[in-house]
């Protein structure tokens, strides 16, 4: 393609300046998409006040999560069919246009609609970024580069709420969206120049039925996990959504078997590597996002620190995550160690949850920092290892679809973990209050109102909230323990130094087909 810089496949792609430039664009894209799911959290109260939409404010976050999850399989397959570079540019442009619409929204329906479009673009940016790594670097080096993205997630989870608070207090909540424009413009400029162009498949046909089916399943799961507690887990709406989602899931295999170009090839559903990696990613993300979301809340309520200082207290977790991602990226070049790394990482996730399960109002800062460090190291060792294992197990032309499967599973895992943790935290907190009367404006449904309690009973409520938080982490243990067991049975494809990425402009079909695991 004219004007597109060619990336030469090389055993030493880490030294190729073209690879470094391409990776910088991809990292910026992941930063944009991941920040946008966290930066809004601290701005929501002000948004609700300005747009007069307190009753439906939860949809501002849920709309983005729902849209980004629902479109993940479609973006992955379209990237395989029409070339990931052009789809990446389209999804990033859509994300930026939607960011402008979010920043200019005059009422809540406008903002929610713009968030849906933003989620559609953000979902494409994430899955196509992961797939593009498979085009740029060799299988033996994918783990090293994929590991960078996990660090970006960790940083975004801490920096996002802080930036949201700063923008809301010092400028306007609208800047939580408008800040995407300068970063996104740089991302597009770099990506247009250096990302590799891949050939379009001949006579490609879009699997509309499969795309709609998977989008409907994702919608059902996200709605159940996001609103189960609010609507009531036994309410007709939630029960109906669960039943409908189960029925739709049962239709996936027969529908995709009939499709000429299935969005989710049935061979992936029968691949041990793809299935196990997706389940492990689900379990790991359930723990990871629960920790990232609720630990700052614990610090702000129990320790009484500000949003900014809660981010400072979380630094040991972020440092552990970034350090383990860097080391894992180097170790995973030796594929025979991939399973050992994964099992170790999942085991450390279990250890981190056990440690966090002991949280109390009197837990000291030094002890907390140690707990955070262990949890961070475990979190950093898992996500990109499972993605690398999957990409190395499928034919080159299916890397996008395979990446989408794992990304889809991880997104659902994150929504599941956060929803279940939140529900358990609320119910356990209410149970531990032991009939503590509401007084002075205290509302058991809002732990942040504990500060309004008289000093004589405030410590009791703080201890109740701390213990409820710890119990929530313990309830996640069975999910992560199962993921650890599954990691023992994962047998990744062995790569060699001779494996090479696809050069820009090389037809995907001409790449050597890797045996499915």
């Amino acid at each position: 393609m004219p004007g597109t810089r060619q990336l030469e496949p090389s055993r030493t792609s880490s030294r190729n300046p073209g690879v470094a430039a391409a990776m910088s664009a991809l990292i910026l894209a992941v930063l944009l998409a991941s920040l946008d799911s966290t930066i809004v959290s601290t701005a929501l109260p002000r948004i609700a006040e300005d747009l007069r939409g307190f009753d439906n404010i939860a949809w501002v976050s849920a709309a983005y999560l729902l849209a980004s999850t629902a479109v993940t399989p479609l973006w992955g397959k379209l990237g395989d069919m029409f070339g990931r570079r052009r789809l990446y540019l389209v999804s990033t442009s859509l994300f930026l246009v939607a960011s402008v619409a979010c920043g200019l929204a005059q009422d809540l329906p406008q903002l929610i609609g713009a968030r849906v479009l933003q989620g559609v673009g953000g979902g494409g940016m994430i899955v196509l970024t992961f797939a593009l790594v498979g085009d740029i670097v060799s299988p033996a080096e994918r783990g090293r580069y994929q590991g960078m993205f996990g660090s970006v997630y960790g940083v975004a989870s801490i920096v996002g709420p802080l930036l949201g608070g700063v923008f809301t207090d010092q400028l306007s909540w609208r800047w939580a969206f408008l800040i995407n424009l300068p970063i996104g413009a740089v991302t597009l400029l770099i990506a247009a120049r250096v990302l590799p162009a891949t050939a379009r498949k001949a006579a490609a046909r879009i699997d509309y039925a499969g795309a709609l089916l998977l989008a409907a399943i994702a919608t059902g799961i996200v709605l159940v996990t996001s609103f189960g507690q609010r609507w009531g887990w036994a309410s007709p709406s939630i029960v109906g959504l669960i039943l409908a989602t189960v029925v739709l899931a049962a239709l996936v295999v027969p529908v995709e078997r009939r499709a000429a170009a299935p969005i989710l090839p049935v061979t992936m559903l029968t691949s041990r590597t793809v299935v196990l990696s997706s389940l492990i990613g689900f379990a790991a993300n359930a723990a990871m996002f629960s920790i990232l979301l609720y630990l700052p809340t614990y610090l702000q309520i129990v320790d009484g620190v500000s949003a900014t200082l809660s981010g400072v207290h979380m630094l040991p977790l972020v440092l552990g995550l970034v350090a383990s991602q860097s080391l894992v990226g180097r170790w995973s070049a030796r594929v025979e160690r991939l399973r050992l790394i994964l099992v170790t990482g999942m085991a450390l996730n279990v250890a981190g949850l056990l440690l966090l399960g002991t949280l109390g109002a009197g837990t000291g800062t030094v002890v907390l920092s140690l707990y955070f460090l262990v949890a961070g190291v475990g979190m950093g060792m898992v996500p990109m290892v499972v993605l690398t294992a999957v990409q190395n197990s499928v034919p080159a032309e299916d890397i996008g679809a395979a990446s989408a499967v794992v990304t889809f599973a991880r997104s659902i895992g994150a929504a599941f973990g956060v929803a279940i943790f939140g529900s358990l935290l609320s119910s356990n907190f209410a149970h531990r209050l032991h009939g503590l009367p509401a007084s002075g404006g205290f509302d058991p449904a809002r732990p942040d109102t504990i500060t309004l309690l008289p000093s004589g009973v405030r410590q009791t409520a703080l201890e109740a909230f701390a213990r409820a938080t710890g119990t929530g982490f313990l309830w996640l243990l069975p999910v992560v323990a199962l993921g650890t067991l599954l990691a023992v049975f994962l047998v990744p494809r062995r790569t060699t130094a001779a494996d090479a990425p696809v050069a820009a402009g090389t037809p995907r079909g001409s790449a050597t087909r890797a045996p499915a695991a």
Side-chain angles (χ1 to χ4, degrees):
M1 179 176 293
T4 300
R5 185 174 177 178
Q6 301 289 309
L7 297 183
E8 296 297 335
S10 170
R11 299 184 187 182
T12 59
S13 59
S14 60
R15 301 176 184 176
N16 188 329
V19 170
M23 291 301 297
S24 67
L26 299 180
I27 288 174
L28 283 174
V30 172
L31 179 63
L32 276 176
S34 55
L35 268 180
D36 225 72
S37 61
T38 60
I39 197 171
V40 180
S41 59
T42 48
L44 285 179
R46 187 69 57 81
I47 294 173
E49 181 181 346
D50 288 355
L51 301 184
R52 300 178 182 179
F54 284 96
D55 292 341
N56 296 306
I57 195 63
W59 281 101
V60 175
S61 296
Y64 182 89
L65 175 63
L66 192 155
S68 61
T69 304
V71 300
T72 293
L74 181 60
W75 279 117
K77 186 62 178 180
L78 290 178
D80 287 337
M81 295 169 63
F82 301 111
R84 280 181 277 279
R85 176 182 176 275
R86 59 169 62 93
L87 268 296
Y88 176 87
L89 297 176
V90 168
S91 63
T92 304
S93 300
L94 177 61
F95 178 87
L96 295 179
V97 170
S99 296
V100 175
C102 288
L104 299 179
Q106 299 302 306
D107 55 43
L108 199 62
Q110 288 181 17
L111 179 58
I112 292 172
R115 287 286 280 173
V116 170
L117 289 178
Q118 199 178 35
V120 172
M125 289 164 63
I126 292 291
V127 69
L128 292 170
T129 289
F130 294 152
L132 277 163
V133 174
D135 294 333
I136 297 170
V137 300
S138 68
E141 291 189 314
R142 283 173 189 161
R144 178 184 306 177
Y145 287 95
Q146 297 282 17
M148 298 178 184
F149 300 119
S151 302
V152 172
Y153 273 112
V155 172
S157 67
I158 304 301
V159 175
L162 298 181
L163 285 178
V166 170
F167 289 145
T168 301
D169 294 337
Q170 305 299 325
L171 297 171
S172 165
W173 59 263
R174 299 181 185 276
W175 279 98
F177 303 108
L178 298 178
I179 191 62
N180 294 333
L181 298 182
I183 303 175
V186 173
T187 302
L188 279 176
L189 180 63
I190 299 174
R193 290 180 59 85
V194 303
L195 287 183
T198 52
R200 173 174 174 167
K201 285 186 177 180
R205 298 171 61 183
I206 300 175
D207 176 19
Y208 293 105
L212 290 174
L213 182 60
L214 291 176
I217 293 171
T219 300
I221 294 173
V222 172
L223 287 177
V224 168
T225 54
S226 298
F227 295 97
Q229 182 180 356
R230 182 177 178 181
W231 295 347
W233 292 105
S235 66
S237 299
I238 293 298
V239 172
L241 278 171
I242 292 174
L243 292 176
T245 303
V246 170
V247 171
L248 291 173
L251 297 175
V252 170
V253 172
V255 168
E256 294 302 86
R257 284 190 186 279
R258 295 188 181 94
I263 195 170
L264 180 62
V266 178
T267 53
M268 291 188 189
L269 298 178
T270 58
S271 166
R272 182 170 67 173
T273 298
V274 174
V275 172
L276 291 182
S277 296
S278 298
L279 293 174
I280 294 167
F282 175 96
N285 265 31
M288 177 179 178
F289 279 85
S290 297
I291 290 172
L292 292 175
L293 182 63
Y294 286 103
L295 278 183
T297 302
Y298 165 87
L299 291 167
Q300 292 172 41
I301 292 176
V302 177
D303 290 351
V305 301
S306 65
T308 301
L309 282 179
S310 69
V312 174
H313 281 272
M314 292 282 286
L315 282 178
L317 185 145
V318 177
L319 292 175
L321 189 152
V322 172
S324 63
Q325 286 280 5
S326 177
L327 292 174
V328 165
R330 295 179 181 275
W331 292 338
S332 62
R334 302 180 180 182
V335 176
E336 62 269 17
R337 294 185 179 181
L338 206 58
R339 179 166 56 179
L340 176 60
I341 293 171
L342 194 54
V343 173
T344 303
M346 291 299 293
L348 285 173
N349 272 285
V350 170
L353 290 175
L354 284 171
L355 292 173
L356 294 174
T358 67
L359 290 178
T363 306
T365 301
V366 175
V367 175
L368 273 178
S369 297
L370 177 61
Y371 292 176
F372 292 174
L373 180 63
V374 173
V377 171
M379 288 159 51
M381 294 181 70
V382 176
M384 299 309 158
V385 175
V386 296
L387 188 60
T388 301
V390 166
Q391 289 186 346
N392 291 352
S393 73
V394 299
E397 59 266 31
D398 287 334
I399 282 180
S403 301
V405 171
V406 179
T407 305
F408 182 83
R410 290 171 56 194
S411 297
I412 297 300
F416 170 84
V418 169
I420 296 302
F421 189 100
S423 178
L424 292 171
L425 174 61
S426 297
S427 60
N428 199 267
F429 176 55
H431 175 73
R432 288 176 180 273
L433 289 177
H434 299 299
L436 189 69
S439 61
F442 171 67
D443 181 358
R446 292 186 56 193
D448 58 308
T449 61
I450 289 176
T451 56
L452 302 176
L453 284 170
S455 58
V457 293
R458 188 183 307 151
Q459 190 61 33
T460 301
L462 289 175
E463 184 64 30
F465 183 78
R467 294 297 181 187
T469 303
T471 301
F473 289 123
L474 293 178
W475 276 105
L476 290 174
L477 271 175
V479 176
V480 181
L482 178 59
T484 306
L485 179 63
L486 294 176
V488 174
F489 296 98
L490 181 66
V491 183
R493 171 179 173 255
R494 185 179 298 273
T495 61
T496 67
D499 288 317
V502 178
T506 302
R508 300 297 300 174
S510 64
T512 303
R513 295 181 65 92

